[in-house]
Amino acid sequence: MTSDRTGASGGSGEIEAVKDGETAAWLLTAEAVRIRSAALFERIRDGRSDHFSFEPDRLQALAQDVAALTKSRFPDLAVPFHARWRHFEVGGHDRFASLAAARNWHNSAEASRAMGDLAILSVLLDAGAGAAWHFQEAGSGQPIGRSEGLALASFAMFANGTFSSVPADPLRADAQALAQISEEEFARAFQISADNPLEGAEGRLALLSRLAAALRDRPDIFALEDDPRPGGIVDALAAQAEGDKLPASQILATVLEGLGNVWPSRHALGGRALGDCWPHPQLGDGTPGSDLVPFHKLSTWLSLSLVEPLQARGVTVTALDALPGLAEYRNGGLFLDGGALVLKTPGAAQLSHAVDAPIIVEWRAATVTLLSAIAPMIRDVLGVDGERMPLASVLEGGTWLMGRQLAKAARADGSPPLAIISDGTVF
């Protein structure tokens, strides 16, 4: 485990503090996610992992399967980005478009800010729900579970004005309202009961409270044009654009900077919270941070979900493939249920594992690396290039849905191949 030595002063202590700060800053980048994941996957590939072996011949077959699924869903191969907005369209109804038409914002800045509010809140509440939970949407009456159900529950809260402290403007979110959401209100909104349990419910509610504090702490990111609100980040990102163009990596960097204190205290280095970043005992050279593997899954998912609000603002997001693949259990399940990764101890599939367990850290690292490996293979099958189908579209096309389908074929409840003990803030 790493330690935070920013209190050191004088001579070597100051030098160490500077080095720790530089390492922390690097761990909070998309580049670090890819590099550290690749380093850990190399152990699997070379047969040095205690948990997995790698079957490279399975990748091409999986690429064929994902390509076929993508073609069936998007015959014209115009695949949208994998973002939270797709979940608001479940069942073929674009709920946000209907809401926006009724609201009729005065300008693109107002609209994009509200879109940012919804995207950030919905993504932060998107960690795995568990197989037992579902949300019954008013109107359709259909119980919808997992990520889509979580999206509709958070969308309903947004549409009902739960996140707003301004009665005249209910379709927004702000720090004042977020800090006041009670346990009872949250449970009611997510329809939580003894018969409908939601994994990590307490962690999700605590996340909203920490989000309120983070918004107030960083007015330079969240309050440039309004009171502190999640969608204020769209104003900050638009201001960073050069010639109306913004690299995707800059979105992730700003998300990690502004929302770093939202995550529960886990590992810190150089005075900076590292969020979704975990040690592995077989990595490291003894220097602080060298054993840590960052994933920043929800932050990356959030970054992808901010692309459309920025587009609504008139900003073109470039270099999308700089963002890593999402280290979560559906993409990971594609490779484990699909046979590219094989458990060395099959009994591990019958156990529940903590998020920081080495087997889970390895699985997530392999997921990031294998997504980068399979994406060009899928494009080759479909006859498209990376410009037409960036990794964000490969995920949507999709690796995550194939992972879900394989899970349903393998297990009656569609649960992932490895059970993860969730606190509602990682997956």
Side-chain angles (χ1 to χ4, degrees), residues 14-382:
E14 289 183 355
I15 294 172
E16 288 178 352
V18 170
K19 289 182 178 179
D20 287 357
E22 292 173 347
T23 300
W26 181 74
L27 288 168
L28 292 165
T29 65
E31 177 189 50
V33 175
R34 292 182 185 276
I35 289 177
R36 285 288 169 87
S37 291
L40 195 49
F41 175 73
E42 185 177 339
R43 298 188 62 85
I44 299 174
R45 185 197 64 197
D46 295 346
R48 292 180 288 144
S49 166
D50 294 333
H51 305 288
F52 300 100
S53 59
F54 175 48
E55 298 295 333
D57 293 344
R58 286 293 303 152
L59 276 189
Q60 187 59 52
L62 287 175
Q64 294 279 352
D65 291 342
V66 174
L69 177 62
T70 302
K71 185 70 173 178
S72 70
R73 298 180 67 215
F74 305 98
D76 60 358
L77 297 183
V79 185
F81 301 144
H82 190 57
R84 194 56 161 164
W85 303 99
R86 308 291 79 77
H87 290 155
F88 302 140
E89 301 163 359
V90 65
H93 173 44
D94 189 339
R95 292 162 180 79
F96 183 78
S98 299
L99 203 64
R103 174 61 173 81
N104 191 24
W105 283 283
H106 292 104
N107 53 54
S108 62
E110 280 191 5
S112 63
R113 214 171 286 133
M115 290 177 72
D117 288 337
L118 175 58
I120 290 174
L121 282 163
S122 193
V123 167
L124 292 183
L125 295 171
D126 187 41
W133 180 83
H134 66 270
F135 178 77
Q136 190 162 316
E137 187 181 28
S140 70
Q142 295 295 317
I144 301 175
R146 302 200 179 274
S147 199
E148 291 88 345
L150 292 169
L152 296 186
S154 58
F155 182 85
M157 293 180 79
F158 180 80
N160 292 335
T162 306
F163 301 129
S164 173
S165 66
V166 183
D169 188 11
L171 300 185
R172 58 175 273 149
D174 54 62
Q176 183 177 338
L178 292 171
Q180 295 173 352
I181 296 175
S182 68
E183 184 177 347
E184 294 75 16
E185 188 175 19
F186 185 85
R188 185 168 57 251
F190 278 81
Q191 302 174 357
I192 302 170
S193 67
D195 296 327
N196 193 37
L198 174 64
E199 286 188 3
E202 291 183 3
R204 294 170 208 268
L205 182 58
L207 209 60
L208 295 182
S209 178
R210 290 194 296 271
L211 173 60
L215 300 178
R216 291 178 172 131
D217 287 345
R218 294 301 303 264
D220 57 318
I221 295 177
F222 299 108
L224 290 179
E225 303 291 340
D226 199 347
D227 294 332
R229 57 186 289 186
I233 197 172
V234 179
D235 297 320
L237 289 168
Q240 295 174 32
E242 296 185 4
D244 294 329
K245 295 185 184 300
L246 182 73
S249 59
Q250 191 61 35
I251 303 177
L252 180 59
T254 306
V255 166
L256 289 171
E257 181 179 358
L259 298 178
N261 291 330
V262 168
W263 311 113
S265 179
R266 291 163 178 149
H267 301 280
L269 190 64
R272 300 188 69 175
L274 298 178
D276 185 10
C277 187
W278 310 93
H280 192 281
Q282 293 177 327
L283 286 184
D285 57 11
T287 58
S290 62
D291 62 334
L292 291 173
V293 186
F295 297 113
H296 308 310
K297 180 263 176 179
L298 282 175
S299 296
T300 304
W301 173 233
L302 174 52
S303 298
L304 290 172
S305 299
L306 287 173
V307 172
E308 282 156 89
L310 284 163
Q311 289 175 334
R313 186 65 166 266
V315 175
T316 299
V317 177
T318 62
L320 269 169
D321 273 5
L323 297 180
L326 301 180
E328 49 81 49
Y329 59 78
R330 291 306 182 197
N331 285 311
L334 168 69
F335 302 112
L336 192 49
D337 281 330
L341 290 174
V342 179
L343 285 170
K344 287 188 172 181
T345 306
Q350 311 306 317
L351 305 174
S352 293
H353 306 275
V355 174
D356 61 352
I359 189 173
I360 299 301
V361 177
E362 282 191 25
W363 185 31
R364 299 182 75 195
T367 299
V368 170
T369 302
L370 291 176
L371 284 171
S372 292
I374 202 172
M377 299 167 72
I378 294 168
R379 294 184 192 117
D380 285 347
V381 175
L382 294 171

